Amino acid sequence: MAFYNSRAQLVPDMLSGLLSTAAVDRLDTSDGTAVLVRRGHDPQAGVAVISGGGSGHEPAHAGFLGEGMLTAAVPGSLFASPPVSAVLEAIRAVTGTAGCLLIIKNYTGDRLNFGLAAERAREEGLDVRTVLVADDVALPDLDQPRGLAGTVLVHKVAGHRAVSGAPLSEVADAAQRTAESLRTIGLAKTPANLPGEDVQSSRGAELGLGIHNEPGAREVVVDGAAGAAQQVLDALDADEVIRGAGQAGVVAMLNDLGGCSPQEGLVLTHELLDRLGRDTVTRFIGPARLMTSLDMHGFSVTLAPASEELIAALDAPTSAPGWVPPSRPQAPQSVEGAGTATGALPVVPDSAEALERTADRGLEDAVVAACRALESAQTELDDLDRAAGDADAGTTFAAGARAVRELVESGQLGFADPAAAMRRIARTLETAMGGSSGVLLAILSTAAGRALDGAEGEARSDWSSALQSGIEAVQHHGGAAEGDRTMLDALIPAQRALAEGDGAVVPAQVAEAAESGAEATVALTARAGRAAYVPDSATQGSPDAGAAAVAKLVRALADSLS
């Protein structure tokens, strides 16, 4: 269900929104059809440029009203050409002695209605020329190809020449040359959903669709952006366009037909530029919604040789709100960070060298045992996390545990220098775990390592104060406290027990305190983290996954060290 009020109100409501926010005025025609006119236009200022057609293609055509593009736009009802009378009254309203150019998409209704309006205007003594845009290449043997998104580029060229003061003949000739140079084709995974129709379409992915929701020239299999981009470029005969353009290169435009996400648009941009060649594409327009088909989940690509005339028009400024200025593609570039600049100290001075182990390797063995416990508990912890949403807590903890274990087993991580070891663990968890849990544990490890700096041996007081420092950092940056149903509900009781212990690094009572804290989360209401956004009923009855993970970690450490 789209955010429309009704099919009958769709066009009036859209026009009301546009008129309330853009520098556009409404001309009421004799039959009640709205004609949109660029605010402040002086009919005697130069050649007027008019276009239009059925609604449902926004921002085309009204979005291209502005200095340097269209003077007037004549919108019809949904996917239907406007009446002859509306087009004629638009011509009368904006045309002065310099004349008027009508830019017409090659659909029967538009061609006939705009054509008849032009003939009647000429009868009234107005100087009117027309340019037909037929850029669709879906059916190469068709005598009358449709007009698609390439029409927008014709608007830009004609508008640029008109605002530059060129006479009507030159404006029309430039528009005609541009129209003849364009090649466009669209590909969509699903057709548009028409307002008021809840019937699910049985159509699949198609290549060569029209903007009025017509079926494509053929069904296609779409297995990703790479394949879709290649199919479109093959249909455009992009290699031939590039060869014909020579050293001037080509202009490429990526038009969203209405239902693509911004992420899809950027990935398609990457694929198109990779295949066309960034050095070949002189100007790239998009990804953007320029001529849509309601919410059609698809895109179209337009190619044209990059003539000096076209480039000058594309680079010229315009006040039209729907226009997207072109970019000049370049190879992706990166810059050096402060840690890699010449003469700078590395950000992590201890990130490469192996860290010495303790004499009896007891702590290293305990860490390996704790890591294996978390890896073994992956499914159990994922199941506990399912109520809060992602069901990935076990996967996340297992990934971090695996990375730390592999460092210890390979001899890269030892605890003879506890501070250095905690710093190494922090950087490992930061990159290996992902998610908020990884960042929080990296914060804890970093703060603990800082607290251990300068400490000698493995005295209980050192680890207790280090853990306390880590917990305080987690509370500060994470915003949670004991009782909020997070990993802190196991960590904080464990730290208290460690501070009160009998001198062992991780005595049994510390593990028991962590387990009791984790079990207590069964009855707690989540007030921090992702779980805070789900109903209490979804999480109560089982412990918090993060707290349970901490409890398993501490228990494994205690059992190994006892």
Side-chain angles (χ1 to χ4, degrees), residues 363-376:
L363 190 51
E364 286 79 7
D365 290 343
V367 169
V368 168
C371 289
R372 291 192 182 279
L374 288 179
E375 292 177 69
S376 299

Side-chain angles (χ1 to χ4, degrees), residues 470-526:
I471 288 171
E472 290 173 356
V474 168
Q475 288 178 306
H476 174 75
H477 294 290
E482 188 174 10
D484 285 350
R485 191 181 160 89
T486 69
M487 68 174 71
L488 289 174
D489 291 305
L491 277 170
I492 292 175
Q495 193 280 328
R496 282 199 294 261
L498 183 61
E500 298 167 359
D502 61 3
V505 175
V506 183
Q509 59 264 37
V510 176
E512 293 169 1
E515 290 167 340
S516 296
E519 185 61 29
T521 63
V522 170
L524 293 178
T525 297

Side-chain angles (χ1 to χ4, degrees), residues 110-401:
D110 288 349
R111 194 170 62 245
L112 295 179
N113 291 5
F114 278 79
L116 180 53
E119 292 300 327
R120 289 183 176 171
R122 291 181 187 124
E123 284 184 344
E124 297 176 7
L126 297 174
D127 192 1
V128 180
R129 293 274 299 270
T130 63
V131 167
L132 200 63
V133 184
D135 54 324
D136 183 21
V137 298
L139 299 169
D141 298 328
L142 191 66
D143 291 335
Q144 295 290 337
R146 298 167 292 197
L148 300 179
T151 309
V152 177
L153 302 185
V154 182
H155 294 165
K156 191 67 174 68
V157 170
H160 170 64
R161 295 293 289 138
V163 79
S164 301
L168 178 58
S169 59
E170 292 184 12
V171 173
D173 289 347
Q176 186 66 48
R177 284 190 294 271
T178 302
E180 292 173 355
S181 74
L182 301 172
R183 298 175 65 84
T184 300
I185 197 166
L187 184 151
K189 294 183 68 177
T190 57
N193 293 297
L194 298 176
E197 294 187 8
D198 295 330
V199 179
Q200 188 69 31
S201 173
S202 61
R203 289 164 55 184
E206 298 171 337
L207 178 69
L209 303 90
I211 55 173
H212 295 155
N213 216 27
E214 311 98 305
R218 65 178 185 270
E219 294 182 355
V220 293
V221 175
V222 176
D223 56 3
Q230 190 60 58
Q231 289 185 76
V232 165
L233 292 179
D234 289 344
L236 288 169
D237 200 359
D239 291 342
E240 179 62 29
V241 175
I242 292 171
R243 282 193 294 269
Q247 293 184 343
V250 299
V251 169
M253 182 171 74
L254 173 58
N255 170 56
D256 177 358
L257 286 168
C260 290
S261 68
Q263 295 78 21
E264 288 173 300
L266 291 173
V267 173
L268 287 167
T269 297
H270 156 75
E271 294 294 345
L272 291 170
L273 291 177
D274 264 10
R275 283 162 170 73
L276 291 168
R278 287 167 176 79
D279 294 338
T280 300
V281 181
T282 305
R283 296 292 186 277
F284 189 84
I285 302 145
R289 291 176 179 172
L290 298 161
M291 185 171 287
T292 63
S293 181
L294 292 175
D295 63 347
M296 184 180 286
H297 189 186
F299 66 97
S300 67
V301 175
T302 301
L303 293 180
S307 66
E308 292 183 5
E309 181 176 65
L310 178 57
I311 295 300
L314 295 180
D315 289 346
T318 176
S319 60
W323 174 248
V324 177
S327 61
R328 303 184 186 191
Q330 58 184 351
Q333 299 182 24
S334 59
V335 296
E336 289 185 338
T340 57
T342 303
L345 292 174
V347 175
V348 187
D350 63 344
S351 61
E353 69 272 15
L355 298 181
E356 185 180 352
R357 299 182 179 190
T358 55
D360 61 1
R361 299 190 180 184
L363 190 51
E364 286 79 7
D365 290 343
V367 169
V368 168
C371 289
R372 291 192 182 279
L374 288 179
E375 292 177 69
S376 299
Q378 176 176 334
T379 300
E380 177 187 348
L381 295 173
D382 278 344
D383 289 342
L384 287 178
D385 191 42
R386 198 173 308 280
D390 286 355
D392 64 350
T395 302
T396 301
F397 276 96

